[in-house]
Amino acid sequence: MRNEEMLLIPGPTPVVDSIYDAMASETRGHTDPRFVAQYKASIEKTRELFNTDGEVFVVAGSGTIAMEMALVNTVAAGERLLIISQGYFGDRFIQLGKAFGIEIDVLQAEWGKQVAAEEVERMMKEHTYKAVTITHADTSTGVAADLETLVPIVKQHGALVIVDGVCATAAMEEDMQKEYGDAGHTIDVVLTGSQKAIGVPPGLAIVAFNQTALAARKKIERVPAYYCDIANWIPIMQDPSKYFATPPVNLIYAYDEGMKLVLDEGLTKRYARHTSFGRAVRAALKVYGMQPLADETVAASTLSCILYPEGVDDAAFRSTLAKKGIIVAGALAHLAGKAFRIGHMGNTTEDMLATAVEQIGNTLVELGHEVSVDEAVRRFKEEVSAVV
Ligand SMILES: *Cc1c(COP(=O)(O)O)cnc(C)c1O
């Protein structure tokens, strides 16, 4: 790999050489038939990833644009939205809802925990919601949402399910035709970005709408957006030779290559790999006395928020580790200084994570903590092979 540093923050994630190569290919006009064919191919791959019979949108923007597109095209001003929040990114829907005059209710979990299904059930009975947002993996806490339980509860009450997959897509299952619960309920909208578990540089917003969600858009008379109005993008997604706004040509090259890698690996295998990576990293770090914020039963497979043991200084730890070429992220909000976040998603490999476990141990030793590096690396290898 061309990378000089190992970017183990929860996005962007390590970019492999073939994606860099694709990105550095000659910039062509956005209506050049060769580019149009590739844009079309990347859209097809996106449909396959989500297994949707609806519409997908691949446009320039970050994950936040994707959140905005998901929301403004399904929930009109004055309609009601329930936000199931397991951290900072769940909370972002509060700001978004407010910006667009949407009536919001929020269920906030204690950081590190899931929102209780009974709470969701209670809110759904009390109010009529147009939609409910669920953050599949919250990047601040490393907590995953339990779609198996939540989707049926929301759908039974007739609301749309919007899944924020920015830190989950291509690592955790988001099959839009998968039937949840006895009545066969499905997810309506999934939104994501290019730079997390898909492993492509930042800059693409990716959203998928099923037929129910597309019908909801049609009922909204005036969407308070222009670039984010999916009605402007539907003709382009169906025929990318048409123009609405110039697509980021080189990022589309990179995305098409990134999606090829995702589909070539195979979704089932890729999801299992992420499950094992998450478990193995957390098991190994426990050897150092580093405890994950989230219990293993609710932990995301894409990233972990890890509490420091007594006496480890956040700034010293992360800068010493960075000198060894491993970049991890600080924790957010009230956990800043008390924890760090490590990504183990996308095109990250077993060898990379084994090296990271080793270097985290070496860093702790250098900072004067007595830990067994060999034992942690052994634990990592044992756990990683236990699942895959
Ligand atoms: C990173 C992230 C976002 C925001 O994406 P940007 O690309 O930074 O705009 C939203 N939701 C989740 C779950 C994320 O991890």
Side-chain angles (χ1 to χ4, degrees):
M1 243 197 230
R2 209 168 294 166
N3 297 328
E4 288 174 3
E5 293 179 339
M6 211 187 279
L7 194 57
L8 300 185
I9 64 174
T13 57
V15 175
V16 300
D17 290 355
S18 68
I19 294 178
Y20 284 133
D21 288 341
M23 189 135 178
S25 306
E26 182 171 345
T27 303
R28 299 197 197 280
H30 55 286
T31 54
D32 183 310
R34 293 164 294 183
F35 170 70
V36 170
Q38 199 170 8
Y39 196 6
K40 204 173 169 59
S42 74
I43 290 164
E44 282 312 312
K45 291 185 182 83
T46 311
R47 289 182 159 283
E48 196 176 330
L49 170 69
F50 293 120
N51 186 30
T52 179
D53 58 1
E55 201 63 70
V56 301
F57 304 91
V58 180
V59 307
S62 79
T64 305
I65 284 270
M67 294 171 83
E68 194 159 319
M69 273 177 100
L71 200 58
V72 298
N73 288 285
T74 52
V75 187
E79 290 183 324
R80 216 171 175 113
L81 172 75
L82 178 63
I83 297 162
I84 300 177
S85 176
Q86 271 135 199
Y88 179 89
F89 287 101
D91 287 353
R92 180 161 285 191
F93 279 111
I94 301 172
Q95 309 304 326
L96 270 165
K98 283 184 180 162
F100 292 104
I102 292 166
E103 298 295 321
I104 51 167
D105 286 319
V106 191
L107 286 172
Q108 264 160 327
E110 184 190 330
W111 276 35
K113 304 249 180 339
Q114 284 178 336
V115 168
E118 302 75 55
E119 287 288 291
V120 178
E121 181 93 60
R122 183 177 61 75
M123 293 297 278
M124 297 302 302
K125 278 187 186 145
E126 272 175 27
H127 307 280
T128 302
Y129 293 105
K130 182 70 173 295
V132 176
T133 60
I134 304 173
T135 310
H136 202 174
D138 202 298
T139 319
S140 58
T141 55
V143 173
D146 178 6
L147 297 181
E148 304 283 341
T149 308
L150 295 177
V151 174
I153 295 174
V154 172
K155 295 302 299 181
Q156 265 158 28
H157 291 88
L160 295 165
V161 170
I162 299 174
V163 173
D164 175 348
V166 182
C167 208
T169 303
M172 294 160 71
E173 186 184 51
E174 289 167 343
D175 179 335
M176 294 182 77
Q177 292 188 65
K178 175 176 169 168
E179 299 189 346
Y180 292 89
D182 298 335
H185 295 299
T186 58
I187 296 167
D188 298 297
V189 179
V190 182
L191 65 102
T192 195
S194 52
Q195 78 274 25
K196 298 195 183 175
I198 300 175
V200 167
L204 286 177
I206 299 141
V207 192
F209 275 59
N210 72 0
Q211 296 296 341
T212 313
L214 290 169
R217 163 63 191 90
K218 280 211 184 113
K219 284 201 196 125
I220 299 177
E221 224 162 275
R222 199 187 66 81
V223 165
Y226 179 62
Y227 186 85
C228 283
D229 183 352
I230 59 167
N232 288 325
W233 287 106
I234 288 173
I236 317 305
M237 294 300 119
Q238 290 173 351
D239 176 5
S241 71
K242 291 193 175 137
Y243 170 75
F244 169 54
T246 309
V249 171
N250 290 60
L251 255 179
I252 298 291
Y253 298 155
Y255 177 66
D256 192 44
E257 171 62 18
M259 285 299 298
K260 181 178 173 299
L261 298 178
V262 168
L263 297 176
D264 282 355
E265 181 175 1
L267 293 177
T268 309
K269 247 181 105 180
R270 195 170 168 99
Y271 299 153
R273 171 167 68 80
H274 280 87
T275 302
S276 77
F277 279 6
R279 286 186 190 162
V281 167
R282 289 185 292 267
L285 296 182
K286 278 185 191 168
V287 173
Y288 299 144
M290 295 178 141
Q291 297 298 330
L293 174 70
D295 188 81
E296 197 55 39
T297 54
V298 301
S301 53
T302 47
L303 89 142
S304 303
C305 181
I306 306 286
L307 298 162
Y308 288 118
E310 269 303 302
V312 178
D313 179 73
D314 176 45
F317 172 78
R318 285 193 290 128
S319 63
T320 308
L321 187 60
K323 281 189 200 121
K324 301 181 194 301
I326 316 268
I327 316 295
V328 296
L332 301 175
H334 65 280
L335 288 177
K338 298 185 183 126
F340 69 99
R341 294 174 304 143
I342 180 166
H344 27 75
M345 65 182 131
N347 294 321
T348 307
T349 64
E350 184 178 332
D351 281 350
M352 289 165 73
L353 293 175
T355 303
V357 166
E358 186 183 349
Q359 296 291 28
I360 287 172
N362 291 340
T363 297
L364 290 171
V365 170
E366 206 172 304
L367 295 176
H369 303 271
E370 245 178 75
V371 294
S372 171
V373 179
D374 289 348
E375 168 66 12
V377 172
R378 196 188 56 74
R379 197 69 194 90
F380 174 79
K381 289 186 175 159
E382 189 178 84
E383 197 64 37
V384 98
S385 54
V387 186
V388 170

